Amino acid sequence: MNKALPMSGVRDSTYIPENILSVPPNLSMEAAMKETEEVIFGAIVSVLAKTKVECSEIGILIVNCTLFDPIPSLTSNEGIV
């Protein structure tokens, strides 16, 4: 692991979800959804603030997540939309 992690790009400043770092890891759907909502909504709020774009000006939002993959999709989940 000491050789593999540096080559993977994981560093001290790499973001790792709190539920993964807890001992034992909390791998529940609820924990994953909470973390996903925090990241997605935080990113959206940040982008809107920086660009001064109003939500009403946005017609479509494309969401991609590589760690958490609920079926059928993030946007079909009531907690996100």
Side-chain angles (χ1 to χ4, degrees), residues 3 5 8 10 14 30 33 35 37 39-40 45 49 52 58 63 67 77-78 81:
K3 290 181 181 180
L5 282 176
S8 70
V10 174
T14 299
E30 292 80 19
M33 188 58 111
E35 194 268 337
E37 287 178 2
V39 171
I40 290 173
V45 167
K52 305 208 184 323
I58 299 172
V63 179
L67 264 177
N77 193 311
E78 288 180 25
V81 216

Short mmCIF file of all heavy atoms in Angstrom, two decimals, residues 3 5 8 10 14 30 33 35 37 39-40 45 49 52 58 63 67 77-78 81:
data_model
loop_
_atom_site.label_atom_id
_atom_site.label_comp_id
_atom_site.label_asym_id
_atom_site.label_seq_id
_atom_site.Cartn_x
_atom_site.Cartn_y
_atom_site.Cartn_z
N LYS A 3 3.54 1.80 -1.50
CA LYS A 3 4.00 2.09 -2.86
C LYS A 3 2.83 2.44 -3.77
O LYS A 3 2.96 3.29 -4.65
CB LYS A 3 4.75 0.90 -3.43
CG LYS A 3 6.09 0.65 -2.79
CD LYS A 3 6.80 -0.52 -3.43
CE LYS A 3 8.14 -0.77 -2.76
NZ LYS A 3 8.84 -1.90 -3.38
N LEU A 5 -0.34 3.75 -3.03
CA LEU A 5 -1.08 4.99 -2.78
C LEU A 5 -0.42 6.23 -3.39
O LEU A 5 -1.11 7.02 -4.04
CB LEU A 5 -1.33 5.18 -1.28
CG LEU A 5 -2.46 4.33 -0.72
CD1 LEU A 5 -2.56 4.53 0.79
CD2 LEU A 5 -3.77 4.64 -1.38
N SER A 8 -1.18 6.43 -6.98
CA SER A 8 -2.59 6.58 -7.33
C SER A 8 -3.05 8.04 -7.28
O SER A 8 -4.14 8.35 -7.71
CB SER A 8 -3.46 5.76 -6.38
OG SER A 8 -3.44 6.35 -5.09
N VAL A 10 -3.35 9.69 -4.37
CA VAL A 10 -3.89 9.94 -3.04
C VAL A 10 -2.80 10.62 -2.21
O VAL A 10 -1.69 10.12 -2.09
CB VAL A 10 -4.35 8.63 -2.36
CG1 VAL A 10 -4.77 8.88 -0.92
CG2 VAL A 10 -5.48 8.00 -3.16
N THR A 14 -6.11 14.82 -0.27
CA THR A 14 -7.15 14.09 -0.99
C THR A 14 -8.40 13.97 -0.12
O THR A 14 -8.31 13.63 1.06
CB THR A 14 -6.67 12.68 -1.38
OG1 THR A 14 -5.53 12.81 -2.23
CG2 THR A 14 -7.74 11.88 -2.10
N GLU A 30 -27.66 5.25 3.59
CA GLU A 30 -27.96 6.55 4.18
C GLU A 30 -26.71 7.41 4.31
O GLU A 30 -26.72 8.60 3.99
CB GLU A 30 -28.62 6.38 5.56
CG GLU A 30 -30.01 5.78 5.52
CD GLU A 30 -30.00 4.26 5.35
OE1 GLU A 30 -28.96 3.60 5.61
OE2 GLU A 30 -31.04 3.73 4.93
N MET A 33 -25.62 8.52 0.81
CA MET A 33 -26.51 9.55 0.26
C MET A 33 -26.28 10.89 0.94
O MET A 33 -26.25 11.93 0.27
CB MET A 33 -27.96 9.11 0.42
CG MET A 33 -28.91 10.03 -0.30
SD MET A 33 -28.52 10.14 -2.05
CE MET A 33 -29.90 9.30 -2.70
N GLU A 35 -23.48 12.01 2.31
CA GLU A 35 -22.21 12.54 1.82
C GLU A 35 -22.35 13.05 0.38
O GLU A 35 -21.85 14.11 0.04
CB GLU A 35 -21.14 11.44 1.91
CG GLU A 35 -19.73 11.96 1.76
CD GLU A 35 -19.24 11.92 0.34
OE1 GLU A 35 -19.77 11.13 -0.45
OE2 GLU A 35 -18.33 12.70 0.01
N GLU A 37 -25.10 14.17 -1.12
CA GLU A 37 -25.87 15.41 -1.11
C GLU A 37 -25.01 16.59 -0.68
O GLU A 37 -25.07 17.66 -1.28
CB GLU A 37 -27.07 15.27 -0.17
CG GLU A 37 -28.16 14.40 -0.73
CD GLU A 37 -29.33 14.23 0.23
OE1 GLU A 37 -29.32 14.84 1.34
OE2 GLU A 37 -30.26 13.49 -0.13
N VAL A 39 -21.76 16.99 -0.96
CA VAL A 39 -20.78 17.33 -2.00
C VAL A 39 -21.46 17.98 -3.19
O VAL A 39 -21.03 19.03 -3.67
CB VAL A 39 -19.99 16.07 -2.44
CG1 VAL A 39 -19.15 16.36 -3.66
CG2 VAL A 39 -19.13 15.57 -1.30
N ILE A 40 -22.55 17.38 -3.68
CA ILE A 40 -23.22 17.92 -4.87
C ILE A 40 -23.80 19.29 -4.58
O ILE A 40 -23.58 20.25 -5.34
CB ILE A 40 -24.31 16.95 -5.38
CG1 ILE A 40 -23.65 15.70 -5.97
CG2 ILE A 40 -25.20 17.62 -6.42
CD1 ILE A 40 -24.62 14.59 -6.35
N VAL A 45 -23.84 25.23 -4.99
CA VAL A 45 -23.89 26.53 -4.31
C VAL A 45 -22.64 27.34 -4.62
O VAL A 45 -22.72 28.54 -4.92
CB VAL A 45 -24.07 26.33 -2.78
CG1 VAL A 45 -23.83 27.63 -2.03
CG2 VAL A 45 -25.45 25.79 -2.49
N ALA A 49 -22.63 30.84 -6.79
CA ALA A 49 -22.13 32.06 -6.14
C ALA A 49 -21.02 32.70 -6.97
O ALA A 49 -20.98 33.93 -7.13
CB ALA A 49 -21.63 31.74 -4.74
N LYS A 52 -22.64 33.90 -10.41
CA LYS A 52 -23.81 34.76 -10.24
C LYS A 52 -24.96 34.35 -11.17
O LYS A 52 -25.76 35.18 -11.60
CB LYS A 52 -23.44 36.23 -10.42
CG LYS A 52 -22.31 36.65 -9.50
CD LYS A 52 -22.36 38.10 -9.17
CE LYS A 52 -21.23 38.59 -8.34
NZ LYS A 52 -20.66 37.80 -7.33
N ILE A 58 -31.08 27.81 -15.23
CA ILE A 58 -30.53 26.50 -15.57
C ILE A 58 -31.65 25.57 -16.01
O ILE A 58 -32.64 25.39 -15.30
CB ILE A 58 -29.78 25.90 -14.35
CG1 ILE A 58 -28.63 26.82 -13.96
CG2 ILE A 58 -29.28 24.49 -14.67
CD1 ILE A 58 -27.95 26.44 -12.67
N VAL A 63 -25.24 15.18 -13.48
CA VAL A 63 -24.54 14.79 -12.27
C VAL A 63 -23.76 13.51 -12.53
O VAL A 63 -24.29 12.57 -13.10
CB VAL A 63 -25.53 14.57 -11.10
CG1 VAL A 63 -24.80 14.14 -9.85
CG2 VAL A 63 -26.34 15.82 -10.85
N LEU A 67 -17.95 7.14 -7.01
CA LEU A 67 -17.92 6.23 -5.85
C LEU A 67 -19.29 5.68 -5.49
O LEU A 67 -19.42 4.52 -5.13
CB LEU A 67 -17.38 6.97 -4.62
CG LEU A 67 -15.91 6.82 -4.32
CD1 LEU A 67 -15.51 7.64 -3.13
CD2 LEU A 67 -15.52 5.39 -4.12
N ASN A 77 -33.69 9.81 -7.21
CA ASN A 77 -33.85 9.65 -5.77
C ASN A 77 -34.50 10.89 -5.19
O ASN A 77 -34.04 12.00 -5.43
CB ASN A 77 -32.50 9.38 -5.13
CG ASN A 77 -32.63 8.89 -3.73
OD1 ASN A 77 -33.36 9.47 -2.92
ND2 ASN A 77 -31.94 7.82 -3.42
N GLU A 78 -35.53 10.73 -4.38
CA GLU A 78 -36.24 11.86 -3.81
C GLU A 78 -35.36 12.76 -2.96
O GLU A 78 -35.59 13.95 -2.87
CB GLU A 78 -37.41 11.37 -2.94
CG GLU A 78 -38.55 10.79 -3.73
CD GLU A 78 -39.67 10.32 -2.82
OE1 GLU A 78 -39.78 10.86 -1.69
OE2 GLU A 78 -40.42 9.44 -3.24
N VAL A 81 -33.42 15.39 -5.58
CA VAL A 81 -34.15 16.31 -6.45
C VAL A 81 -34.94 17.30 -5.66
O VAL A 81 -35.45 17.07 -4.64
CB VAL A 81 -35.10 15.59 -7.42
CG1 VAL A 81 -35.12 16.31 -8.73
CG2 VAL A 81 -34.77 14.16 -7.63
#
